[in-house]
Amino acid sequence: MSTEQEYLFEAATADLSARVMEEEGVSLKDALRIVYGSALYQKLQNVGTGLYREGPVYLYDMLCEERGIKYPI
């Protein structure tokens, strides 16, 4: 993973965690647990998927789908 890709990955993870906190009203600790424990997070780490370039709304929608939650909550 290049430096730019790593930066985008970290930014996507932070934005996604913030979205989880905002939409679900959970703490940062819980949001990080949700994000880091997801299959989506594993896909984000795979440069080949290109998901690290996507926006937080799209990623949050994918996370909701994975978790069986209808978005918007």
Side-chain angles (χ1 to χ4, degrees):
M1 185 178 286
S2 73
T3 303
E4 181 181 358
Q5 290 168 327
E6 189 173 324
Y7 172 79
L8 291 172
F9 165 73
E10 294 296 333
T13 302
D15 290 345
L16 180 57
S17 299
R19 189 75 178 194
V20 170
M21 287 173 44
E22 179 182 321
E23 295 293 334
E24 300 183 26
V26 298
S27 68
L28 175 59
K29 181 179 178 180
D30 288 338
L32 291 173
R33 188 175 335 181
I34 290 167
V35 171
Y36 291 153
S38 69
L40 176 60
Y41 183 74
Q42 299 303 316
K43 292 175 187 173
L44 267 173
Q45 291 183 41
N46 181 343
V47 176
T49 67
L51 286 174
Y52 63 91
R53 291 179 270 168
E54 298 294 341
V57 174
Y58 179 75
L59 294 174
Y60 182 66
D61 185 53
M62 289 182 69
L63 182 63
C64 285
E65 186 175 315
E66 174 186 329
R67 296 169 59 214
I69 298 172
K70 185 174 167 62
Y71 175 75
I73 296 176

